Amino acid sequence: MDKKNRKRKKGWQRFLTMLLLLLPGLVGGFLIGMYADKAASGAGAGLGGELLLLGLMLLELYLAVFLQIIVHEGGHLICGLISGYTFSSFRIADFMWIKENGKIRLRRFSLAGTGGQCLMAPPEMKDGKIPVTLYNLGGALMNLIVSGICLAAAFLMEKNSMPAVFFLIMAAIGVVFAVTNGIPLRLGEIDNDGYNAMSLGKNPDALRAFWVQMQANAQVAKGIRLKDMPKEWFALPSDEAMKNSLIAAVGVFACNRLMDERRFEEADVLMKHMLDADTEMPGLYQNLLVCDRMYCEMIRENRKEVLDGMLDKQQKKFMKAMKKYPSVLRTEYAYALLVKKDPVKAKSIQEAFDKYMQRYPYPSEARAERELMEKAKEMVQ
């Protein structure tokens, strides 16, 4: 597939993803439109009363979405434990509970485009297999169960009352979450839970890639760096295999491991190949690889025209959205120091880095990025 067709395809995928992300709000807005006027008329409220009711219902919609995110991630957690997985971390918005040295600690971490995430360490593979269906579908299943309970509660309450409307919104949002996550779909470059549950049972390479990612994430949570993990985990898949997003992520991990080993030239060659190849690498990973390529360029040839080509409008927008992410901060630091020749700006970025890393949940990753910042600093001495 040529670049033009790839771009067109990914444009449609992004459109579908955006539509599905807006679906909870559209459904909630429809319900609010149905019931707000009825509730206000029944209460004999004027314009002020109607506006107040509308505001309260919008708050109910926000609360329903938030609660259903918790329900969804909680479903993954419960079904993961049932399937033999062990707890690694649980995040809602930017509040993250992570297992450190046998204890659960609260940290702050946000990831653009995600409302929550439950990460678990998978059981060891037996005959090349691990249980994946219940774990992947656990979130959608729990959304459906809670939606049924909320629907029953709504019918037991006074018609058009605020509590009844809230439970109806909760039920509707839960069904939307269950459908958009449970029915196999490809959302942009990312496969949803239902697609993963379906494909992992058919594709042994994708199943192994899923296992590697979950294991690597669990090891990072324990303070182990990528360079110290088994090398065989990060064997580079073929370009054809990386048309599966889970397998493509292993290729990204291979790049990250080379960066951690300070094999910058090899890392840059591999990252360029990954970015040019026709794969289903998630956009988040693509932008992070561009950050790493910028860093490799800055500490080696430091060609302005090459850096300008990588730091386009889309990349700038990404780095602004991910301004607290360690590798983005490290790249910004190197850019200020080695390209802009602005030590004052670089010091400001380093201070921001130190501040954010105090509450960052993965200290081994923070150490690795701090070493790369020191490497950049050595280049001007």
Side-chain angles (χ1 to χ4, degrees), residues 311-363:
L311 192 58
D312 57 17
K313 183 178 179 180
Q314 196 274 337
Q315 183 67 17
K316 288 178 180 178
K317 183 179 178 181
F318 167 81
M319 293 174 71
K320 184 177 180 180
M322 297 286 288
K323 62 183 180 181
K324 297 181 181 180
Y325 200 75
S327 63
V328 173
L329 281 165
R330 169 256 294 164
T331 304
E332 294 275 17
Y333 173 84
Y335 193 83
L337 202 61
L338 301 176
V339 179
K340 293 297 185 181
K341 312 293 184 183
D342 188 346
V344 175
K345 176 66 174 178
K347 183 179 179 181
S348 174
I349 295 171
Q350 183 168 22
E351 289 172 350
F353 179 90
D354 293 338
K355 175 185 175 182
Y356 295 138
M357 292 308 101
Q358 289 177 5
R359 58 185 185 182
Y360 191 68
Y362 304 117

Side-chain angles (χ1 to χ4, degrees), residues 88 121 214-225 229-230 233 364:
S88 181
M214 300 294 280
Q215 280 284 15
N217 285 324
Q219 294 299 306
V220 170
K222 292 178 181 179
I224 299 173
R225 289 170 60 162
M229 296 181 199
W233 286 6
S364 62

Side-chain angles (χ1 to χ4, degrees), residues 280-294:
E280 288 297 329
M281 179 170 47
L284 172 68
Y285 288 154
Q286 293 179 38
N287 291 121
L288 288 174
L289 287 188
V290 172
C291 282
D292 287 347
R293 285 207 70 210
M294 287 179 62

Side-chain angles (χ1 to χ4, degrees), residues 193-213:
D193 294 333
Y195 194 96
N196 284 336
M198 178 184 70
S199 66
L200 289 174
K202 301 177 181 178
N203 188 335
D205 292 334
L207 182 61
R208 183 187 178 278
F210 174 79
W211 183 87
V212 166
Q213 289 177 70

Side-chain angles (χ1 to χ4, degrees), residues 69-369:
I69 290 173
I70 297 176
V71 168
H72 184 85
E73 299 304 333
H76 284 305
L77 176 62
I78 293 169
C79 292
L81 293 172
I82 292 172
S83 301
Y85 292 66
T86 56
F87 178 86
S88 181
S89 66
F90 185 89
R91 179 176 60 83
I92 299 297
D94 63 347
F95 292 95
M96 185 176 191
W97 290 264
I98 186 167
K99 191 173 184 179
E100 295 180 0
N101 300 319
K103 296 182 180 180
I104 307 298
R105 302 185 186 279
L106 177 62
R107 294 286 184 261
R108 301 292 294 274
F109 176 68
S110 62
L111 191 61
T114 64
Q117 191 176 38
C118 175
L119 294 177
M120 306 187 77
E124 291 299 321
M125 299 190 85
K126 294 181 180 179
D127 300 322
K129 296 181 179 180
I130 56 170
V132 293
T133 302
L134 184 60
Y135 171 70
N136 276 282
L137 294 180
L141 179 63
M142 194 61 66
N143 286 133
L144 276 181
I145 292 172
V146 171
S147 290
I149 295 170
C150 289
L151 188 61
F155 282 114
L156 292 174
M157 295 178 177
E158 181 182 350
K159 189 177 180 181
N160 297 334
S161 66
M162 292 295 291
V165 174
F166 172 70
F167 280 112
L168 279 174
I169 293 174
M170 273 285 289
I173 297 302
V175 170
V176 171
F177 273 42
V179 169
T180 56
N181 286 280
I183 295 178
L185 294 170
R186 307 205 77 174
L187 306 178
E189 300 94 347
I190 305 241
D191 301 333
N192 73 351
D193 294 333
Y195 194 96
N196 284 336
M198 178 184 70
S199 66
L200 289 174
K202 301 177 181 178
N203 188 335
D205 292 334
L207 182 61
R208 183 187 178 278
F210 174 79
W211 183 87
V212 166
Q213 289 177 70
M214 300 294 280
Q215 280 284 15
N217 285 324
Q219 294 299 306
V220 170
K222 292 178 181 179
I224 299 173
R225 289 170 60 162
L226 287 174
K227 67 177 183 178
D228 298 320
M229 296 181 199
K231 183 179 180 180
E232 59 270 19
W233 286 6
F234 309 104
L236 184 67
S238 68
D239 290 354
E240 183 64 27
M242 286 193 289
K243 289 182 179 179
N244 178 290
S245 62
L246 287 170
I247 300 175
V250 174
V252 175
F253 275 40
C255 296
N256 297 156
R257 192 173 193 270
L258 288 172
M259 289 290 294
D260 199 20
E261 293 177 319
R262 296 198 175 197
R263 294 161 64 183
F264 301 119
E265 185 173 354
E266 293 174 66
D268 189 45
V269 170
L270 180 54
M271 288 186 290
K272 184 179 187 304
H273 174 78
M274 290 281 296
L275 290 166
D276 289 342
D278 181 15
T279 72
E280 288 297 329
M281 179 170 47
L284 172 68
Y285 288 154
Q286 293 179 38
N287 291 121
L288 288 174
L289 287 188
V290 172
C291 282
D292 287 347
R293 285 207 70 210
M294 287 179 62
Y295 177 87
C296 290
E297 176 65 28
M298 286 185 285
I299 63 167
R300 294 164 64 224
E301 298 184 67
N302 201 14
R303 295 165 294 183
K304 187 178 185 301
E305 66 277 10
V306 174
L307 291 167
D308 288 344
M310 288 190 276
L311 192 58
D312 57 17
K313 183 178 179 180
Q314 196 274 337
Q315 183 67 17
K316 288 178 180 178
K317 183 179 178 181
F318 167 81
M319 293 174 71
K320 184 177 180 180
M322 297 286 288
K323 62 183 180 181
K324 297 181 181 180
Y325 200 75
S327 63
V328 173
L329 281 165
R330 169 256 294 164
T331 304
E332 294 275 17
Y333 173 84
Y335 193 83
L337 202 61
L338 301 176
V339 179
K340 293 297 185 181
K341 312 293 184 183
D342 188 346
V344 175
K345 176 66 174 178
K347 183 179 179 181
S348 174
I349 295 171
Q350 183 168 22
E351 289 172 350
F353 179 90
D354 293 338
K355 175 185 175 182
Y356 295 138
M357 292 308 101
Q358 289 177 5
R359 58 185 185 182
Y360 191 68
Y362 304 117
S364 62
E365 188 177 326
R367 286 197 302 273
E369 298 299 344

